[in-house]
């Protein structure tokens, strides 16, 4: 069926292998940090780099963001609360979850400025370069429906790096279920549109003639 091609394109997933770092694109979803922490404790990578200042969907899709945060047990605001803490950025929030999951402070890098996925990749590269880290292989922990777009952007910024995508299904939107609900259809087809629209500008900027 036609949606098989869309499924294979959007829902990238790999088996984890030993890597130099685990990247987490910006999100207020604790599931991503928990998955990354498990991979860390299983010895797959010595560092985790959560990225993000805040989600631009807070301003552009307020109702949708409020629903997502409510489902995750968080208040709708520019800062996310988890337990007894309040975090001003996605990076701080994800780092807080990592620490609660037992990841040591020295293993957590931070990128607190990115406001959307492309910046997550750009600014994460700046962090690894500043730390003089050579990233030959990396794990990408992201939302399942966000896998292709995240991978495209991080691959563009780390062209010599082998990536393994280890996603997390959130909101019930996964490979076998996305086309069964209106939310899943809207979300996944929206990702298809963004992959084309946003990456078109990135590729066009590389043309010099």
């Amino acid at each position: 069926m036609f949606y098989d091609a869309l499924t294979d394109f959007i829902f990238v997933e790999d088996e984890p292998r030993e890597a130099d770092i685990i990247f987490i694109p910006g999100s207020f979803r604790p599931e991503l940090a928990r998955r990354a922490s498990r991979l860390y404790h299983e010895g797959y990578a010595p560092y985790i780099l959560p990225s993000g200042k805040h989600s631009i969907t807070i301003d552009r899709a307020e109702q949708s963001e409020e629903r997502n945060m409510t489902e995750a047990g968080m208040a709708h605001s520019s800062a996310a609360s988890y337990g007894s803490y309040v975090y001003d950025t996605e990076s701080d929030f994800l780092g807080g979850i990592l620490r609660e999951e037992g990841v040591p402070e020295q293993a957590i890098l931070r990128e607190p400025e990115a406001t959307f996925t492309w910046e997550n990749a750009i600014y994460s590269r700046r962090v690894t370069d500043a730390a003089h880290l050579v990233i030959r292989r990396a794990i990408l922990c992201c939302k399942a429906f966000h896998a292709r777009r995240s991978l495209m952007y991080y691959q563009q910024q780390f062209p010599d790096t082998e990536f393994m995508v280890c996603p997390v299904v959130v909101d019930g939107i996964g490979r076998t279920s996305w086309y069964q609900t209106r939310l899943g259809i809207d979300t996944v087809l929206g990702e298809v549109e963004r992959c084309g629209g946003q990456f078109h500008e990135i590729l066009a900027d590389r043309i010099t003639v």
Side-chain angles (χ1 to χ4, degrees), residues 194-207:
R194 281 185 284 275
C195 283
Q198 296 178 8
F199 211 68
H200 178 273
E201 297 179 7
I202 294 170
L203 290 176
D205 287 342
R206 301 176 64 188
I207 298 175

Side-chain angles (χ1 to χ4, degrees), residues 1-204:
M1 297 292 289
F2 70 90
Y3 52 74
D4 289 339
L6 296 175
T7 299
D8 290 339
F9 176 68
I10 292 296
F11 293 94
V12 185
E13 184 167 4
D14 303 297
E15 289 295 324
R17 288 190 291 148
E18 186 175 348
D20 299 301
I21 198 167
I22 300 169
F23 291 114
I24 312 177
S27 175
F28 281 133
R29 302 303 295 257
E31 301 96 322
L32 304 187
R34 293 189 187 119
R35 178 73 193 276
S37 70
R38 288 195 297 272
L39 292 168
Y40 171 84
H41 288 304
E42 290 168 4
Y44 284 106
Y47 298 105
I48 304 176
L49 174 48
S51 171
K53 182 176 182 179
H54 59 79
S55 174
I56 60 173
T57 56
I58 290 175
D59 297 322
R60 296 187 178 182
E62 183 171 330
Q63 184 176 4
S64 175
E65 190 67 11
E66 184 175 8
R67 172 187 54 75
N68 289 339
M69 288 186 173
T70 299
E71 290 177 355
M74 292 175 279
H76 174 57
S77 68
S78 60
S81 60
Y82 183 77
S84 58
Y85 300 97
V86 176
Y87 302 97
D88 293 326
T89 70
E90 294 164 321
S91 178
D92 289 341
F93 170 73
L94 293 167
I97 303 298
L98 293 172
R99 288 193 297 273
E100 290 195 359
E101 294 293 321
V103 178
E105 188 72 32
Q106 63 269 22
I108 304 172
L109 305 178
R110 287 181 179 78
E111 188 296 294
E113 297 299 326
T115 59
F116 52 92
T117 310
W118 179 223
E119 286 187 349
N120 290 144
I122 294 173
Y123 297 165
S124 290
R125 179 59 193 255
R126 293 177 185 175
V127 170
T128 59
D129 284 351
H132 305 291
L133 296 177
V134 177
I135 310 301
R136 297 183 178 87
R137 186 180 295 157
I139 294 173
L140 187 59
C141 282
C142 57
K143 292 174 283 191
F145 59 76
H146 195 213
R148 176 60 67 181
R149 189 154 56 100
S150 298
L151 179 60
M152 289 168 64
Y153 293 162
Y154 277 82
Q155 280 183 322
Q156 203 282 336
Q157 286 298 304
F158 294 85
D160 299 320
T161 300
E162 177 187 356
F163 278 90
M164 294 155 287
V165 182
C166 296
V168 179
V169 174
V170 300
D171 297 330
I173 304 173
R175 288 185 62 92
T176 61
S177 60
W178 71 266
Y179 49 82
Q180 298 175 355
T181 66
R182 182 57 184 266
L183 175 61
I185 292 170
D186 290 347
T187 300
V188 170
L189 294 186
E191 282 296 313
V192 173
E193 293 173 1
R194 281 185 284 275
C195 283
Q198 296 178 8
F199 211 68
H200 178 273
E201 297 179 7
I202 294 170
L203 290 176

